[in-house]
Amino acid sequence: MTRVTRRTSKDTATIWPFVSSDLYGQVVYGVPYTVSCTYEQGASKQYRDAMGQMYIPKSIYWYELPSEGKPSLKDYIALGDQTAYNTPIGADNAEVIKNAILQSGGVLNDTPDIMVMT
């Protein structure tokens, strides 16, 4: 994690990794995990999602690239430690990840950061 992100990451977020969908459309999630992060809600800047559609994110999170790997577009994220919930269903304000951008820490010889938008 870059030094700037490390100093500002005083909040916690929970991520539920998407694993698969079964034959009946039920979504299967992996074990939820937490990350130290900083966030912004209510942004007004537009971004493009993976399909090229313009959108304004509900929330933007910045945190260190976790050992679990880069989050994928069907993962969910929510503020706080909500690992008591095995799925994002029932968790407070869980949002689907629409975009995840890796930011190199190479110039500073640090761990890469991730910017996640919902």
Side-chain angles (χ1 to χ4, degrees):
M1 177 185 293
T2 59
R3 288 179 198 93
V4 173
T5 306
R6 190 174 295 120
R7 275 184 266 161
T8 61
S9 294
K10 303 297 181 194
D11 296 296
T12 301
T14 303
I15 298 174
W16 291 268
F18 172 84
V19 175
S20 66
S21 294
D22 66 16
L23 296 173
Y24 304 103
Q26 290 289 104
V27 177
V28 177
Y29 294 97
V31 177
Y33 60 92
T34 61
V35 293
S36 293
C37 69
T38 187
Y39 68 95
E40 175 182 313
Q41 292 182 324
S44 60
K45 186 175 179 183
Q46 288 188 349
Y47 293 88
R48 289 194 186 274
D49 64 13
M51 305 301 263
Q53 299 295 316
M54 296 295 290
Y55 75 100
I56 297 173
K58 293 179 186 176
S59 304
I60 301 173
Y61 298 85
W62 294 270
Y63 58 91
E64 180 178 33
L65 180 65
S67 59
E68 292 82 3
K70 182 179 174 187
S72 66
L73 301 182
K74 292 183 181 180
D75 293 354
Y76 271 77
I77 189 168
L79 279 175
D81 182 351
Q82 299 192 46
T83 53
Y85 296 97
N86 291 330
T87 70
I89 308 306
D92 292 333
N93 299 313
E95 302 170 328
V96 67
I97 293 175
K98 292 185 178 181
N99 206 349
I101 300 170
L102 183 64
Q103 297 173 323
S104 173
V107 173
L108 303 172
N109 202 23
D110 267 333
T111 306
D113 293 334
I114 290 278
M115 181 172 76
V116 170
M117 292 173 271
T118 63

